Amino acid sequence: MTTKNEHEKAGAVYVNDYATMVVPRDKRRSSFSLAMVLVGSIICLSSIYTGASFAGGLNFKGVIIACFVGNIILTVIGGLLSYIGTRTGVGIAMLMRNGFGVLGNYIIAVLTAIVELGWFGWQCGFFGNTIHAMFPNAGMITDPTIAGIWGGFLMMITAYFGYKGLEILSDVAAPLILIMCMIGCGIGISRVGGLDAFNQITIESAGGMTIATGIVSVIGAYAMGAVLQPDLTRYGKKESHSVIGAAFGFIIANSFVILAGYIMCVVANTSDVSVALLEILGAWSLLMLIFAQWTTNDNNLYFSSLAATVAFPKFKKKHIVIVFGIIATIAGAFGIVDLFTAWLGLLGTGIPPVAGILILDYFVIKKQKYEFGEGVKHRFCSVPAVVAWAAACIVGYSVHWGISAVNSMVVAGIVYIALHAVLKNSDKLYIGGTYAEDRRGALEKI
């Protein structure tokens, strides 16, 4: 029989959305549900703007190549991490306990919480400004600050209910966004006289942008999101389904949304997304705008609150969402976050290297043997992981050739493996004491 104390503990775990524990198998979601959540998190207003930035710079063929190559790279990164998330049943911050140790786990969790919260606030402000640009004469509701606030509170609602909230929204919004993108592309191409005519327009208008620049734009727009895939795929039932979901989200859905932004802006002969959406889709563009931003930005708050719960397990995740969400929404709507975007970008360089270390630690060093749960022990600090991470952060920040996020991932992986080879079986591999997880997943020194 289940005791009252056990019910209370189970309730606490549920409230925190299994932030510090393995998601039980009976709580995992269907393949369709997981795929829609992944698609919803990936397709966003920023993807439409990425497509808009290609208008006048690349021809149709060049955009297709940039989308395909860029999203293939994102699929490799996101797919491997999605596999790990489903296999272990935990998110990115918890995974760091194995590769980085307790110190690294704490650093990455706090860093992720700050960066994702900052971008949540910025996206709230961005949402308000976009709503106003599209409907400047619709009264107070489309005032940039007011729209940023009500948009932010919308996005808080689904993050508050955790994965279940993301799931309910994505099941409706993800297919709807894709359908509206299809309709927008169809209307646009039909308006100029068909695909051949559209292709000719793009050839004649293509400017100085290279395909390599396009690829960098595609990857850079969602590299951080690819690293955080385990926060979603920990709810997957099968590893293969998570990998397929990530591949569909990037290669199909994200490519299609980017292409939609490109096609509508080319047809409307503008790089202004607001103008293009209104001209092609009319008032329906408002629905697309809201859902495209909502399904992604609620993930930013979700990722932030999940990481904060791992770092500070005594606080309930729902309370963190409320406090974080209100502060970030107001800061974003009033433009306060705009003052810190350079700082957020700097901090953000520290997250992608985590992927290189985690992937190699899981598949090469630990041979897919990560453990979590009551009594599982973790060391305080992994020297190879922290040194590799620091070196990769420096490269990611200072080297401007190629793709910063990918550069830092590769450097992190190389340095990590090299240091592991040098320090193997050495007492310098780890420093500090040992910690064990309690029943809630919190850490206690032993």
Side-chain angles (χ1 to χ4, degrees):
M1 181 180 291
T2 304
T3 65
K4 179 181 179 181
N5 189 44
E6 287 173 333
H7 273 301
E8 290 174 351
K9 288 179 178 177
V13 170
Y14 174 76
V15 166
N16 285 331
D17 202 15
Y18 303 105
T20 57
M21 301 181 73
V22 175
V23 177
R25 283 287 170 183
D26 63 344
K27 301 297 182 182
R28 305 290 180 98
R29 299 299 199 265
S30 68
S31 301
F32 174 81
S33 172
L34 178 64
M36 289 302 98
V37 170
L38 291 175
V39 169
S41 72
I42 293 168
I43 54 177
C44 57
L45 191 59
S46 297
S47 294
I48 297 175
Y49 272 84
T50 298
S53 71
F54 295 156
L58 290 173
N59 61 30
F60 191 40
K61 180 180 178 181
V63 174
I64 292 175
I65 294 173
C67 285
F68 182 75
V69 175
N71 282 306
I72 282 289
I73 294 173
L74 287 173
T75 297
V76 172
I77 298 168
L80 288 171
L81 291 168
S82 292
Y83 176 95
I84 296 172
T86 300
R87 186 68 177 268
T88 60
V90 300
I92 193 73
M94 285 288 288
L95 288 169
M96 291 303 98
R97 290 182 178 179
N98 282 268
F100 280 75
V102 174
L103 176 62
N105 161 238
Y106 183 81
I107 291 173
I108 299 301
V110 171
L111 183 65
T112 302
I114 293 172
V115 172
E116 288 301 301
L117 181 63
W119 288 124
F120 170 81
W122 185 86
Q123 291 281 0
C124 289
F126 177 60
F127 176 83
N129 289 329
T130 305
I131 287 287
H132 179 71
M134 294 182 72
F135 303 96
N137 301 314
M140 183 182 294
I141 196 170
T142 64
D143 174 83
T145 301
I146 300 299
I149 291 175
W150 64 255
F153 277 97
L154 269 183
M155 297 158 196
M156 279 176 57
I157 293 172
T158 42
Y160 175 83
F161 289 104
Y163 188 92
K164 185 181 294 184
L166 307 184
E167 178 183 37
I168 292 172
L169 174 64
S170 296
D171 282 351
V172 175
L176 181 62
I177 294 170
L178 291 176
I179 290 171
M180 293 188 73
C181 283
M182 291 176 63
I183 293 172
C185 289
I187 292 173
I189 291 175
S190 175
R191 182 174 295 182
V192 297
L195 188 57
D196 289 339
F198 174 79
N199 190 43
Q200 187 60 40
I201 292 173
T202 68
I203 292 173
E204 294 172 354
S205 64
M209 183 180 290
T210 65
I211 293 177
T213 301
I215 293 170
V216 169
S217 298
V218 171
I219 297 173
Y222 205 77
M224 192 179 299
V227 176
L228 299 176
Q229 291 294 285
D231 285 355
L232 302 177
T233 61
R234 63 199 178 100
Y235 271 94
K237 289 184 177 181
K238 293 184 178 181
E239 293 85 351
S240 59
H241 294 174
S242 295
V243 174
I244 292 171
F248 179 81
F250 287 115
I251 298 174
I252 305 300
N254 195 42
S255 292
F256 198 70
V257 174
I258 292 172
L259 284 170
Y262 173 75
I263 290 171
M264 286 189 279
C265 283
V266 168
V267 171
N269 193 27
T270 179
S271 59
D272 189 324
V273 171
S274 303
V275 172
L277 287 177
L278 276 173
E279 183 173 328
I280 303 298
L281 293 173
W284 286 100
S285 58
L286 176 62
L287 187 62
M288 180 178 175
L289 168 66
I290 292 173
F291 277 139
Q293 194 72 339
W294 190 353
T295 57
T296 299
N297 207 29
D298 62 350
N299 277 265
N300 286 331
L301 184 56
Y302 180 73
F303 293 149
S304 177
S305 62
L306 202 66
T309 305
V310 172
F312 308 103
K314 291 184 179 180
F315 295 96
K316 288 186 177 181
K317 181 178 173 294
K318 287 185 176 182
H319 295 166
I320 292 174
V321 169
I322 293 172
V323 174
F324 277 17
I326 291 174
I327 293 173
T329 296
I330 293 174
F334 283 92
I336 298 172
V337 177
D338 295 347
L339 303 175
F340 300 97
T341 52
W343 185 65
L344 288 173
L346 174 62
L347 291 179
T349 60
I351 296 178
V354 169
I357 295 170
L358 175 57
I359 290 169
L360 288 174
D361 184 72
Y362 183 76
F363 289 105
V364 179
I365 303 298
K366 304 293 174 55
K367 310 294 184 184
Q368 300 189 51
K369 294 180 180 178
Y370 274 15
E371 294 183 358
F372 301 91
E374 186 176 9
V376 172
K377 300 175 182 178
H378 303 282
R379 298 298 298 270
F380 176 70
C381 179
S382 164
V383 173
V386 173
V387 172
W389 176 72
C393 287
I394 293 173
V395 170
Y397 177 72
S398 60
V399 176
H400 303 293
W401 173 86
I403 304 165
S404 175
V406 175
N407 292 344
S408 61
M409 290 181 202
V410 173
V411 169
I414 292 173
V415 174
Y416 182 68
I417 289 294
L419 287 175
H420 246 287
V422 172
L423 299 176
K424 188 176 182 179
N425 300 322
S426 165
D427 58 1
K428 296 180 180 179
L429 196 61
Y430 297 96
I431 59 173
T434 303
Y435 293 72
E437 294 183 23
D438 63 17
R439 293 189 67 177
R440 295 177 297 110
L443 293 164
E444 297 179 343
K445 190 172 182 179
I446 58 176

